Amino acid sequence: MATTAPAMKTKKMSMHEALNQALREELSRDEKVVILGEEVGLYNGVHYVTRGLYQEFGKDRVIDTPISEESFVGVGVGMAIMGFRPVVEMMRMDFSLRAMDQIYNHMAKIHYMSGGHLKVPMVLRGPEGPGPNPGLTAQHGQQLTALFAHCPGLRVVTPATQHDAKGMLKAAIRSDDPVVFLEPGPLNNKQGEVGEGEYLVPLDRADTKREGGDITLIGYGASVALCLQAARELEHDGLSAAVIDMRCLRPLDMQPALASVAKTGRALIVEYAWQSYGPGAEIVARLMQDAFWDLDAPVGRVSGKETPLPYAANLEELSKPQLDEIVAKAKEIAAA
Amino acid sequence: MATTAPAMKTKKMSMHEALNQALREELSRDEKVVILGEEVGLYNGVHYVTRGLYQEFGKDRVIDTPISEESFVGVGVGMAIMGFRPVVEMMRMDFSLRAMDQIYNHMAKIHYMSGGHLKVPMVLRGPEGPGPNPGLTAQHGQQLTALFAHCPGLRVVTPATQHDAKGMLKAAIRSDDPVVFLEPGPLNNKQGEVGEGEYLVPLDRADTKREGGDITLIGYGASVALCLQAARELEHDGLSAAVIDMRCLRPLDMQPALASVAKTGRALIVEYAWQSYGPGAEIVARLMQDAFWDLDAPVGRVSGKETPLPYAANLEELSKPQLDEIVAKAKEIAAA
Amino acid sequence: MSTTSESIPTPAAARPGRSSAQWKRMLRMMITIREFEHLGEQEFRNGLIRGYYHSYAGQEAVGVGMLEALDPSHDYIVDHYRDHGHCLAMGIDAEQVFAELFGRRTGVSKGKGGSMHMYSPDKHFLGGDGIVGGGISVAAGVGMALKRMPGKGLCVCFFGDGALDTGTFHESLNLASLWDLPVVFVCINNQYSMGTSLQRHSSLSQLVDRASGYGMPTEQIDGQDVGAVYSASERIFAAVRERQRPCFIEALTYRYQGHGIHDKPLNYRTTEEEEPWRRRDPIRLLSEKLIEERQMTPAQIEKMRQEVTAELEAKAERARQAPAPEARELFDDVMI
Amino acid sequence: MSTTSESIPTPAAARPGRSSAQWKRMLRMMITIREFEHLGEQEFRNGLIRGYYHSYAGQEAVGVGMLEALDPSHDYIVDHYRDHGHCLAMGIDAEQVFAELFGRRTGVSKGKGGSMHMYSPDKHFLGGDGIVGGGISVAAGVGMALKRMPGKGLCVCFFGDGALDTGTFHESLNLASLWDLPVVFVCINNQYSMGTSLQRHSSLSQLVDRASGYGMPTEQIDGQDVGAVYSASERIFAAVRERQRPCFIEALTYRYQGHGIHDKPLNYRTTEEEEPWRRRDPIRLLSEKLIEERQMTPAQIEKMRQEVTAELEAKAERARQAPAPEARELFDDVMI
Ligand SMILES: Cc1ncc(C[n+]2csc(CCOP(=O)(O)OP(=O)(O)O)c2C)c(N)n1
Ligand SMILES: Cc1ncc(C[n+]2csc(CCOP(=O)(O)OP(=O)(O)O)c2C)c(N)n1
Ligand SMILES: [Mg+2]
Ligand SMILES: [Mg+2]
């Protein structure tokens, strides 16, 4: 399955519109699909992802929940083991900290603990990281990707483009595994080309966004755009940077990154997450394991700063991975 | 502060006895210290760590709680910001999944969010991983180290010896930072020498357990013992292995590991945690960053298998890092 | 919205009277459970069972009386970790339950789950659960599913008195009431949450009162008298089916053994306290009734016990002989 | 253990009557809050405030009446995210609150916290909190501390009607009752949990009934009438102090603005619904009373409003001129 089949007709829309299309198409296709979450229905979704679906599919398919994250994730698990395909929204993924027991101990493990007798075909989705709007502060703008990616039994994916957002969400809903679908908050309102009609993007394939010979920039979710920006800047300095979108974090597909590093011998990970014990560390560890002999310099990381997200505009901006940091670090690695 | 001051008088005891001594000494020293948790009082503690303390210090200092993990962690936070020093026990660290919101969003962040106006001098402690007894199964024997270690604002430590257990727990209780103190379940009932009386072990220093010239084995918590065992086996093959106990995971002290790798040029991480996005990944990433030019071979990892902990005895055993795996991998790395 | 003052009506559909065959079936099942737990505890001491063992001895009337009233083709149960008895009462073959406890691949969860994680969707048994309160929201989800399926099925959810201290209990009851779900929440009040008596963990002594804030009918029943449990269940299930509304039942009972196999209950309770409960032993109560009503003689009951024991021993033996899972099965069923 | 049927007695200590100065102080504070929110929303639209803005307009009588009854030297409050009004009523300088909203280092949380994370331990204000229900257990912890400190202090904990749907609310009430804590749990029932009306998120319409399962007195009060709030609070606080037992208050009120600044409430409610609440506007009610009793003239009230506004504008201006945090402060106060 190609990410952007060249033949496909596309339309420009925001990521939330792309996600909304995916939900609408899947709700129409399969009556076992239901949506649960806070303000997803009558209110139309705080981040617009479920806009119009309550009106179209009714309150038995698009279900408004009280502020009971642990338990409505559990409701999703219960519906899933009975053959439904619940899509459970976290208004922000930060709130999934309330539901970690259901996520780790139920959603992820029931298939295994039951000796395969039960399946849990559900999707947990919502925005993470410092966006779409600024000023989210410490408890609302975290990027907790690593917490999910560490848990066996889950599939964990995050799209970097509007097109992938649609195709991956549709694939996630059809997956018989439980899927954590992380929507990059900073991209929620950003526009891009999206394929029209039916297509799926696989949940186990990283994607090469740009070829390059001097250094491999590796991102996932919102940081892929930073990588692409940096690659354009680096061009001015005569450096050709490849950009890999990791996209599928669990299971992690290293193939495109390895192929690129085999050519460039140099790599830099870019991420919004906190660096220590963040997703980037696993990517580095896998490059260590499978690309060591290809590497001409240590793999670097530019990550979110290791602080709770501060409020003041200048500090908030500084806490995110900075374009000039990425460019400088890439040059340093390329020169090493 | 030395870990085992050679002059110190020691006594043989189990890790739970060492922890118990630490708690008793701190409860006696500072009346602001209180203990909270399920069955910590009248029942004497499921893993014996609080044995006798309820009788000695009474129900206002050693407080039995209902099964309300989220909220009694919050009670700890509330007491801590008021100047108390609560030590909150999770009967098993698995249950802290229920309390993740309090841990991530309150315990870890209030100091920062308040601009430093409030401190949260509390300790969250309990056993993690597949032990002391076998058959803990999927929801009771997880090693969730990485979830805590990823969170800015927390100190995260885990002792590998009985002696460190006592000295580090005392230091954790006196720390003005919130500390997650992870007790290696497999070591709970294991005996070792423990210093008598008053001493502290710092919360920001990894420890060299054994010097060696050919390869550096790096563990934390229960896997340090595996590293030492493997080092003895490797001796028979003529390989001299250093063993580093990472001990302090956040902030992570890389200094002894880097010093050792500067000599050996080779390293292997051993851990009970799941490999992908586990703590070992960060250690590899830090070696990549700061020891790349010293490395003669890629750093390896032997970790817990990436499955929920299975029940059947043979599968459970296989799911843990195996001694022969470690030895074989170490030889492979040494030969590369 | 409904008020708290509802009581559970007797709907027309309630079936009158019961046959002698039914009484004998219930007696036989209670004896089966008692003897099963007896054999199981022996095998634990023999080392064949590892980890946890939570005996249902003393509480048999609750599960047997209640599950006898189910519609086996449409109703489901979601259980907690004290689940062997409920497995048997749902018709799961004791051999499969033993095999699970022995870690055999013929076990009901293929040896992967163990004591707390039995699953048999065929028998509409959707799991034990090791997390206190962990199944309550899952049961609400099963109710959501049943409401959308034909057959007016309902979900019975079992948990202990300790589970009322978990937030998810309250969240789930609110959801179930708000959404009109056919779920019967059954609190098996055996007076203890591990070693903590009701008085020490619950702010109110009548647990029906702690479920009074959700606008659903509540009822306290005598959990020692299987006939009383059965009659109440028949009436309540019919009402839940008809009204498509949840209800809450508190079944008063007592566990004979410690919380788990290592627990010595006389450390926190007295034989004087135990005595009146043992006088009202559920098997004894029913036996006396059947003898009094001349439905059975003492000799017939003793013969029944011997038959049951012989049958169970044969099943245990077959389970012992069954193979352990193969090593490669470790990674089966982590994902699909 | 206590029963649910307790009512709150009038202890001897309740202070009788109130002075004209007190009425004027409360009026001035309500006007201050109203005007503060007005200015704040303007500054949000001007782009000076970012992220979230939850206005307290319409609810002023609850905080002002209740906090007027506090013992400022021994009592504390723990708040939710709608916290500007409570900050002012606790005596925090409006300049510091503006400065926090503007992301200035002179802000009450040094610009790190933002709208939802104000903290001033000096003024016994222990935080707003962005997580619904997140502060309730923290307040129980503050109660645990106060119980162990001299002065018979109590903790007032504010949260919305939506917080009753979080498990931690129920866990914490059980703990507070079980442990006899001097905590006043105040549910500010403004009829909506974001866009979800009470009827759509709560299984019972009387929220006092949802707190009936914890053996603590409950009371519903008129949250529009500051005098009624003050009288009830005086009486209730004295009882809580004397009995060292918690209680639950439901204050009936209404928020004038959307949930946050971007929310348009007429998408889910009507002006007909709003109208009766606006007729009983808390500032209007008190103004009318003072005019009727000839304690103030309309002109005096208008003058007061103008004074307050001028003062607030001056403070806002000083806050605008204050410096942003310096870049190096990003990493301050992550740890000690
Ligand atoms: C979330 C969580 N916390 C703690 C435990 C440990 N634990 C297991 S059972 C139990 C007591 C539960 O008592 P109750 O709910 O009354 O059930 P019973 O054992 O009496 O059947 C505790 C504390 C757990 N399994 N899960
Ligand atoms: C755990 C959690 N879930 C969801 C949210 C998003 N959220 C913020 S406020 C709110 C509504 C709360 O309403 P209520 O408790 O009645 O307080 P009010 O806003 O009316 O003052 C929601 C859903 C959150 N902040 N925290
Ligand atoms: Mg119990
Ligand atoms: Mg509200």
Side-chain angles (χ1 to χ4, degrees):
Chain A
M1 286 180 282
T3 304
T4 32
M8 197 178 276
K9 255 187 78 182
T10 65
K11 212 179 135 182
K12 198 162 188 148
M13 63 182 75
S14 67
M15 185 170 276
H16 66 73
E17 285 166 325
L19 295 165
N20 182 267
Q21 261 193 18
L23 291 174
R24 177 173 287 105
E25 288 178 18
E26 295 304 302
L27 282 163
S28 303
R29 189 188 55 82
D30 181 353
E31 60 176 25
K32 293 288 189 190
V33 177
V34 297
I35 292 177
L36 290 143
E38 291 156 9
E39 310 293 352
V40 295
L42 190 61
Y43 196 84
N44 263 321
V46 167
H47 295 95
Y48 321 119
V49 174
T50 58
R51 195 184 262 174
L53 302 177
Y54 181 83
Q55 286 71 22
E56 193 169 335
F57 297 95
K59 69 174 174 41
D60 291 338
R61 303 284 305 284
V62 181
I63 302 157
D64 280 318
T65 64
I67 307 175
S68 309
E69 283 87 358
E70 175 173 359
S71 301
F72 69 73
V73 171
V75 165
V77 172
M79 295 188 81
I81 63 178
M82 292 292 286
F84 284 77
R85 295 190 171 270
V87 181
V88 178
E89 172 172 313
M90 291 285 119
M91 192 182 280
R92 294 212 59 94
M93 284 310 290
D94 308 67
F95 308 149
S96 70
L97 291 165
R98 275 270 173 77
M100 275 297 161
D101 177 66
Q102 280 299 323
I103 297 167
Y104 257 75
N105 282 330
H106 297 82
M107 180 175 167
K109 293 190 173 60
I110 282 180
H111 183 57
Y112 193 82
M113 295 190 299
S114 71
H117 287 315
L118 290 172
K119 293 185 301 189
V120 190
M122 70 183 276
V123 178
L124 184 78
R125 50 156 290 273
E128 63 167 5
N133 45 319
L136 295 182
T137 67
Q139 297 175 332
H140 282 63
Q142 298 166 84
Q143 173 131 352
L144 302 174
T145 324
L147 274 60
F148 306 106
H150 188 42
C151 184
L154 299 177
R155 278 187 189 280
V156 181
V157 301
T158 184
T161 66
Q162 293 71 10
H163 181 84
D164 280 2
K166 177 176 167 187
M168 289 170 73
L169 183 53
K170 284 168 66 80
I173 293 171
R174 298 189 197 185
S175 166
D176 279 343
D177 292 314
V179 180
V180 175
F181 188 93
L182 301 167
E183 298 164 11
L187 304 184
N188 191 69
N189 306 341
K190 294 264 158 59
Q191 305 262 326
E193 294 296 327
V194 174
E196 286 189 13
E198 179 71 17
Y199 66 95
L200 301 175
V201 174
L203 302 181
D204 53 4
R205 293 274 174 277
D207 190 36
T208 303
K209 291 286 187 235
R210 182 188 156 119
E211 302 279 355
D214 296 324
I215 186 167
T216 307
L217 304 180
I218 302 177
Y220 53 89
S223 71
V224 173
L226 289 177
C227 292
L228 289 167
Q229 260 183 287
R232 285 190 291 273
E233 299 256 327
L234 288 165
E235 239 170 47
H236 302 150
D237 296 289
L239 286 172
S240 147
V243 174
I244 311 292
D245 171 9
M246 295 309 283
R247 201 163 69 172
C248 302
L249 297 172
R250 183 172 200 96
L252 177 64
D253 178 26
M254 286 297 296
Q255 202 280 321
L258 290 170
S260 175
V261 170
K263 282 192 279 180
T264 61
R266 294 157 201 273
L268 173 64
I269 323 280
V270 180
E271 59 188 344
Y272 278 82
W274 297 308
Q275 183 163 100
S276 299
Y277 308 93
E282 180 62 25
I283 301 171
V284 176
R286 296 285 290 275
L287 289 172
M288 171 72 89
Q289 177 187 296
D290 295 322
F292 182 75
W293 305 109
D294 291 330
L295 287 172
D296 298 320
V299 178
R301 287 183 284 173
V302 173
S303 311
K305 301 305 174 293
E306 302 206 28
T307 74
L309 187 62
Y311 172 65
N314 61 333
L315 297 187
E316 178 178 8
E317 193 45 42
L318 282 173
S319 78
K320 300 184 206 169
Q322 300 294 305
L323 187 61
D324 52 5
E325 247 185 309
I326 301 166
V327 171
K329 188 91 187 168
K331 285 193 210 168
E332 181 193 316
I333 293 170
Chain B
M1 288 179 280
T3 306
T4 33
M8 198 177 278
K9 255 186 80 182
T10 66
K11 214 180 135 181
K12 198 163 187 147
M13 65 181 74
S14 66
M15 185 171 276
H16 66 74
E17 285 165 326
L19 294 166
N20 181 265
Q21 259 192 21
L23 292 175
R24 177 172 286 104
E25 289 178 15
E26 294 304 302
L27 281 163
S28 304
R29 188 187 56 80
D30 181 355
E31 60 176 24
K32 293 288 190 191
V33 176
V34 297
I35 293 177
L36 291 143
E38 291 156 10
E39 310 294 352
V40 295
L42 190 62
Y43 196 85
N44 262 321
V46 167
H47 295 96
Y48 321 120
V49 174
T50 58
R51 194 183 262 173
L53 302 178
Y54 181 82
Q55 287 71 24
E56 195 170 331
F57 297 94
K59 69 175 175 41
D60 290 338
R61 303 285 304 283
V62 182
I63 302 157
D64 279 319
T65 64
I67 308 175
S68 308
E69 283 87 358
E70 175 173 359
S71 300
F72 68 74
V73 170
V75 166
V77 172
M79 294 188 81
I81 61 178
M82 291 291 287
F84 284 78
R85 293 189 172 271
V87 181
V88 178
E89 172 172 312
M90 291 285 118
M91 191 183 280
R92 294 212 59 93
M93 283 311 290
D94 307 68
F95 307 150
S96 69
L97 291 165
R98 275 269 173 78
M100 275 298 160
D101 176 65
Q102 279 300 321
I103 298 167
Y104 257 74
N105 282 331
H106 297 82
M107 181 177 167
K109 293 191 174 60
I110 282 181
H111 182 57
Y112 193 82
M113 294 189 300
S114 70
H117 286 315
L118 290 172
K119 293 186 301 187
V120 190
M122 71 183 276
V123 177
L124 184 78
R125 50 155 290 273
E128 63 166 5
N133 46 318
L136 295 183
T137 67
Q139 297 174 332
H140 282 63
Q142 298 165 85
Q143 174 132 351
L144 303 175
T145 324
L147 274 60
F148 306 106
H150 188 42
C151 183
L154 299 178
R155 278 187 189 279
V156 181
V157 301
T158 183
T161 67
Q162 294 71 10
H163 182 83
D164 279 2
K166 177 176 165 185
M168 288 169 73
L169 183 52
K170 285 167 66 78
I173 292 171
R174 298 188 197 184
S175 166
D176 279 342
D177 291 315
V179 180
V180 175
F181 188 92
L182 301 167
E183 298 164 11
L187 304 184
N188 191 68
N189 306 339
K190 294 264 159 58
Q191 305 262 327
E193 294 296 328
V194 174
E196 286 189 15
E198 178 72 15
Y199 66 94
L200 301 175
V201 174
L203 301 181
D204 53 5
R205 292 274 173 277
D207 190 36
T208 303
K209 292 286 188 235
R210 185 187 152 120
E211 301 280 356
D214 296 323
I215 186 167
T216 307
L217 304 180
I218 301 176
Y220 55 88
S223 71
V224 174
L226 290 176
C227 292
L228 289 167
Q229 259 182 291
R232 285 190 293 273
E233 299 255 325
L234 289 165
E235 237 170 49
H236 301 150
D237 296 289
L239 285 173
S240 149
V243 174
I244 310 292
D245 171 8
M246 295 308 285
R247 201 164 67 175
C248 301
L249 297 172
R250 184 172 197 97
L252 178 63
D253 177 26
M254 286 297 294
Q255 201 281 322
L258 290 170
S260 176
V261 170
K263 282 193 279 182
T264 61
R266 291 153 203 273
L268 173 64
I269 323 279
V270 181
E271 59 187 343
Y272 277 82
W274 297 307
Q275 183 162 101
S276 299
Y277 309 93
E282 179 62 26
I283 301 171
V284 176
R286 297 285 291 271
L287 289 172
M288 171 73 89
Q289 176 186 300
D290 296 322
F292 182 76
W293 304 108
D294 291 329
L295 286 172
D296 298 320
V299 178
R301 285 183 286 173
V302 173
S303 312
K305 300 304 172 294
E306 302 204 28
T307 75
L309 188 62
Y311 172 65
N314 61 332
L315 297 188
E316 178 178 6
E317 193 44 42
L318 282 172
S319 78
K320 301 181 207 171
Q322 300 293 305
L323 187 62
D324 52 6
E325 246 184 309
I326 301 166
V327 171
K329 189 89 187 169
K331 286 192 209 167
E332 183 193 315
I333 292 171
Chain C
M1 280 188 288
S2 7
T3 70
T4 43
S5 58
E6 293 179 49
S7 70
I8 303 167
T10 307
R15 289 163 279 173
R18 18 220 128 276
S19 67
S20 177
Q22 219 173 359
W23 288 120
K24 287 179 189 166
R25 187 166 65 225
M26 290 197 281
L27 180 64
R28 190 182 187 96
M29 185 49 76
M30 290 202 292
I31 294 173
T32 303
I33 294 171
R34 180 75 52 91
E35 297 298 326
F36 182 99
E37 297 292 36
H38 186 68
L39 280 168
E41 295 206 318
Q42 266 173 6
E43 292 301 0
F44 197 104
R45 298 209 165 81
N46 293 339
L48 198 56
I49 303 178
R50 305 142 66 250
Y52 297 95
Y53 199 103
H54 305 100
S55 167
Y56 199 59
Q59 308 182 181
E60 295 89 347
V62 179
V64 171
M66 199 155 268
L67 300 178
E68 177 74 19
L70 282 190
D71 167 359
S73 49
H74 295 104
D75 299 344
Y76 286 80
I77 93 162
V78 172
D79 204 2
H80 68 336
Y81 48 87
R82 199 176 292 285
D83 63 352
H84 317 149
H86 295 153
C87 284
L88 301 174
M90 287 300 279
I92 302 174
D93 191 330
E95 186 180 330
Q96 278 191 295
V97 183
F98 276 130
E100 189 60 36
L101 291 170
F102 301 165
R104 303 302 193 236
R105 61 187 307 206
T106 56
V108 65
S109 304
K110 299 197 189 141
K112 296 279 189 69
S115 163
M116 306 191 287
H117 306 295
M118 309 265 177
Y119 292 88
S120 174
D122 286 353
K123 300 289 184 188
H124 290 203
F125 185 85
L126 298 178
D129 194 338
I131 299 299
V132 173
I136 305 181
S137 62
V138 175
V142 173
M144 284 287 271
L146 290 170
K147 210 180 161 67
R148 287 162 172 73
M149 289 160 61
K152 290 213 164 186
L154 55 78
C155 179
V156 176
C157 176
F158 290 108
F159 45 85
D161 45 296
L164 268 67
D165 304 331
T166 67
T168 186
F169 166 78
H170 299 272
E171 292 183 356
S172 300
L173 262 70
N174 186 49
L175 296 181
S177 177
L178 197 63
W179 292 339
D180 295 320
L181 303 183
V183 180
V184 183
F185 296 101
V186 182
C187 175
I188 306 182
N189 177 1
N190 62 8
Q191 320 298 326
Y192 285 88
S193 172
M194 200 167 280
T196 305
S197 65
L198 204 58
Q199 287 67 24
R200 298 180 69 245
H201 77 79
S202 176
S203 51
L204 292 178
S205 55
Q206 303 296 311
L207 297 182
V208 275
D209 293 336
R210 284 189 62 198
S212 65
Y214 306 98
M216 70 175 77
T218 66
E219 188 161 324
Q220 203 176 49
I221 65 177
D222 176 359
Q224 302 299 95
D225 178 346
V226 74
V229 173
Y230 178 51
S231 303
S233 304
E234 250 194 335
R235 175 172 45 82
I236 292 165
F237 293 178
V240 166
R241 252 184 259 289
E242 223 170 85
R243 300 154 34 107
Q244 291 289 303
R245 291 273 305 151
C247 79
F248 174 87
I249 298 178
E250 176 189 359
L252 295 166
T253 185
Y254 203 73
R255 67 166 152 71
Y256 287 169
Q257 305 300 317
H259 167 72
I261 197 157
H262 299 296
D263 171 29
K264 296 186 183 39
L266 290 181
N267 286 346
Y268 51 82
R269 67 190 199 193
T270 62
T271 43
E272 291 74 57
E273 180 189 307
E274 293 178 357
E275 220 272 306
W277 290 98
R278 290 192 191 268
R279 264 204 311 273
R280 297 195 69 243
D281 178 89
I283 297 178
R284 179 169 158 181
L285 283 192
L286 179 55
S287 299
E288 282 171 2
K289 169 194 158 77
L290 295 185
I291 292 166
E292 195 178 305
E293 292 176 1
R294 294 178 191 272
Q295 296 196 44
M296 289 184 89
T297 65
Q300 282 173 322
I301 292 175
E302 177 53 22
K303 184 157 165 281
M304 183 187 267
R305 206 189 56 72
Q306 284 170 9
E307 272 172 32
V308 161
T309 310
E311 210 177 278
L312 285 174
E313 268 165 358
K315 283 174 189 287
E317 182 51 25
R318 282 199 297 275
R320 264 180 225 111
Q321 302 307 328
E326 287 175 35
R328 56 156 191 76
E329 290 176 52
L330 176 60
F331 292 104
D332 287 352
D333 301 322
V334 176
M335 290 212 289
I336 288 162
Chain D
M1 277 187 289
S2 10
T3 70
T4 43
S5 57
E6 292 178 50
S7 71
I8 303 167
T10 308
R15 288 164 282 173
R18 18 218 127 275
S19 66
S20 178
Q22 217 172 0
W23 287 120
K24 287 180 189 165
R25 187 165 65 223
M26 292 197 280
L27 181 64
R28 189 181 189 96
M29 185 50 74
M30 291 201 292
I31 293 173
T32 303
I33 295 172
R34 180 75 52 92
E35 297 300 326
F36 182 98
E37 298 293 36
H38 186 67
L39 280 169
E41 295 206 320
Q42 265 174 3
E43 291 302 357
F44 197 104
R45 298 210 165 82
N46 293 340
L48 197 56
I49 303 179
R50 303 143 67 250
Y52 297 97
Y53 199 102
H54 305 100
S55 166
Y56 199 59
Q59 308 182 181
E60 295 90 347
V62 179
V64 171
M66 200 156 266
L67 299 178
E68 176 75 18
L70 281 189
D71 168 358
S73 49
H74 295 104
D75 298 345
Y76 286 80
I77 94 162
V78 172
D79 204 1
H80 68 336
Y81 48 87
R82 200 177 292 283
D83 62 354
H84 317 151
H86 295 154
C87 284
L88 301 175
M90 288 298 280
I92 302 174
D93 190 330
E95 185 180 331
Q96 278 190 294
V97 183
F98 276 130
E100 189 60 35
L101 291 170
F102 300 165
R104 303 301 193 237
R105 59 187 309 206
T106 54
V108 65
S109 303
K110 299 196 190 142
K112 297 280 190 67
S115 163
M116 307 191 286
H117 305 296
M118 309 264 177
Y119 292 89
S120 173
D122 286 353
K123 299 289 184 188
H124 290 206
F125 185 84
L126 299 177
D129 193 339
I131 299 300
V132 173
I136 305 181
S137 62
V138 175
V142 173
M144 284 288 269
L146 290 171
K147 212 180 159 66
R148 287 161 172 75
M149 288 161 63
K152 290 214 166 184
L154 55 78
C155 179
V156 175
C157 177
F158 290 107
F159 45 85
D161 46 296
L164 269 66
D165 304 331
T166 68
T168 187
F169 166 78
H170 299 273
E171 293 183 357
S172 300
L173 263 69
N174 186 48
L175 296 180
S177 177
L178 197 63
W179 293 339
D180 295 321
L181 304 183
V183 180
V184 183
F185 296 101
V186 182
C187 175
I188 306 182
N189 178 0
N190 61 9
Q191 321 298 325
Y192 284 89
S193 171
M194 198 166 285
T196 304
S197 65
L198 204 58
Q199 288 69 21
R200 298 180 71 246
H201 77 80
S202 176
S203 51
L204 292 178
S205 54
Q206 303 296 311
L207 297 182
V208 275
D209 292 337
R210 285 190 62 197
S212 65
Y214 306 97
M216 70 176 76
T218 65
E219 188 162 323
Q220 202 175 53
I221 65 177
D222 176 357
Q224 301 300 94
D225 178 346
V226 73
V229 174
Y230 178 51
S231 303
S233 304
E234 250 194 335
R235 176 171 46 79
I236 292 165
F237 292 178
V240 167
R241 253 184 256 289
E242 220 170 87
R243 300 153 34 106
Q244 289 290 302
R245 291 273 304 150
C247 80
F248 174 88
I249 298 178
E250 176 189 359
L252 295 166
T253 185
Y254 202 73
R255 65 165 155 73
Y256 287 167
Q257 304 300 319
H259 166 73
I261 197 156
H262 299 296
D263 171 28
K264 297 187 182 36
L266 290 181
N267 286 344
Y268 50 81
R269 69 188 198 193
T270 61
T271 42
E272 291 74 57
E273 180 190 306
E274 293 178 357
E275 219 271 304
W277 290 99
R278 290 192 191 266
R279 264 204 310 272
R280 296 196 68 245
D281 178 272
I283 296 175
R284 177 169 160 180
L285 283 192
L286 179 55
S287 299
E288 283 171 1
K289 171 193 154 77
L290 295 185
I291 292 165
E292 195 176 305
E293 292 176 1
R294 294 176 191 275
Q295 297 197 45
M296 290 184 87
T297 65
Q300 283 172 322
I301 293 175
E302 178 51 25
K303 181 152 168 286
M304 181 187 268
R305 208 189 54 71
Q306 283 169 8
E307 270 171 33
V308 162
T309 310
E311 209 177 280
L312 285 174
E313 268 165 358
K315 284 173 190 285
E317 182 51 26
R318 281 198 297 274
R320 264 180 227 112
Q321 301 309 328
E326 286 174 38
R328 55 154 192 77
E329 291 176 50
L330 176 61
F331 293 105
D332 286 352
D333 300 322
V334 177
M335 290 213 290
I336 289 160

